[in-house]
Amino acid sequence: MAGEPQADCLFCKIVAGQIPATVVRESETTVAFRDINPQAPTHVLVIPKVHYADAASLAAAEPAVAADILREAAQVAADEKIVDHGYRVVFNTGSGAGQTVFHAHAHVLGGRGLQWPPG
Ligand SMILES: [Zn+2]
Ligand SMILES: [Zn+2]
């Protein structure tokens, strides 16, 4: 069934508590934790507890959860005090765009100057 945990998915294992992560926030539908390979002073991933391969499929199937991701991303930015300086919320979609884990997730990046366009 769509949204069910996948046995071979790293992020489903984090949701299940089978792999440790530095969790900074959790809601009924989402988990936020620090990226193990941070690209900025603040680099937090916000993921849905349900499994969808990318943001587009999550938004199509469970739009309320997609909205939860955006709200939690904003809350992470507030908690991390990166709002005033500016921050970025990124959904890499597809390996050509740098997506490496195929469980939808938002990257929240901030705490340094960010270039536009990204590389
Ligand atoms: Zn998953
Ligand atoms: Zn990613």
Side-chain angles (χ1 to χ4, degrees), residues 45 92 98-101 105 107:
L45 304 183
N92 295 328
Q99 187 178 7
T100 56
V101 178
H105 58 283
H107 291 256

Side-chain angles (χ1 to χ4, degrees), residues 15 26-32 46-50 58 62 64-69 71-72 103:
V15 169
E26 183 168 2
S27 75
E28 203 173 304
T29 56
T30 67
V31 182
V46 184
I47 73 170
K49 290 182 174 176
V50 289
L58 172 68
E62 304 207 29
V65 178
D68 291 344
I69 298 281
R71 195 181 54 248
E72 286 295 307
H103 177 130

